[in-house]
Amino acid sequence: MPTPTTPGPNQESVWNYPRPPALESEDRRIRVVFNEATIADTTDALRVLETSHPPVYYLPPGDIATEHLERERQTTMCEFKGRAEYYTVAVGDRSSRSAAWGYPSPTDRFTELQDHVTFYASKVDACYVGDEEARAQEGDFYGGWITDDVVGPFKGGPGTMGW
């Protein structure tokens, strides 16, 4: 097991997040940019917090330019949230496969996530939490967004599978 980084002022440690994960409202502005277009922009996001993972921000469908999302056949199963559906993001002549996902029929504990969508920071041009550009969680399995107010170490990279 890794040694958690001690959070500084106005920081939180992902090692203090619960498992099973928690769901909470996020009132900071959340934006997603792809191919010079803002494809999502909200102050009504939800964030999922899970031990060892940076937050994953889910945006309501009314604040997403859904015409830029193309549903894929791919699905995965989360033991906590249910079956995820994936989307290709396409703007103009560019596209990014499996760049977004959501839970159209989440488990009872996560019903607030219904029809919300989140994006892999590594598969779009930029994701913002407030005015800060988020960094992608290493690996492309969990999809968390790393900002300066969250400390790890973070699960996802090589050698972290057993955490």
Side-chain angles (χ1 to χ4, degrees), residues 8-162:
N10 301 312
Q11 288 184 319
E12 52 191 37
S13 171
V14 298
W15 292 93
N16 292 330
Y17 293 166
R19 185 168 173 86
L23 178 66
E24 63 180 36
S25 295
E26 174 59 64
D27 58 3
R28 291 178 289 182
R29 184 179 183 199
I30 305 296
R31 289 183 299 132
V32 179
V33 177
F34 184 73
N35 201 21
E36 300 183 15
T38 298
I39 58 172
D41 191 343
T42 191
T43 55
D44 195 26
L46 297 169
R47 69 180 194 152
V48 172
L49 308 175
E50 183 174 357
T51 305
S52 76
H53 305 281
V56 177
Y57 296 90
Y58 290 84
L59 292 74
D63 293 336
I64 299 169
T66 55
E67 67 270 18
H68 297 298
L69 301 182
E70 299 171 7
R71 172 81 172 83
E72 298 176 7
R73 295 177 70 114
Q74 174 187 357
T75 64
T76 58
M77 188 68 182
C78 171
E79 64 183 304
F80 303 115
K81 296 179 287 296
R83 183 163 307 283
E85 294 183 347
Y86 289 80
Y87 302 90
T88 294
V89 173
V91 176
D93 62 348
R94 282 185 62 211
S95 64
S96 182
R97 185 160 166 67
S98 301
W101 77 95
Y103 296 91
S105 299
T107 61
D108 289 345
R109 188 160 182 247
F110 288 92
T111 56
E112 288 180 81
L113 287 181
Q114 184 172 2
D115 298 325
H116 283 55
V117 175
T118 188
F119 298 82
Y120 282 106
S122 63
K123 294 185 177 189
V124 296
D125 295 335
C127 295
Y128 294 91
V129 177
D131 293 327
E132 181 181 356
E133 185 172 349
R135 300 171 302 282
Q137 179 176 8
E138 195 173 358
D140 268 338
F141 185 75
Y142 301 108
W145 297 9
I146 301 171
T147 54
D148 291 342
D149 60 345
V150 179
V151 297
F154 308 106
K155 187 173 183 175
T160 65
M161 192 55 109

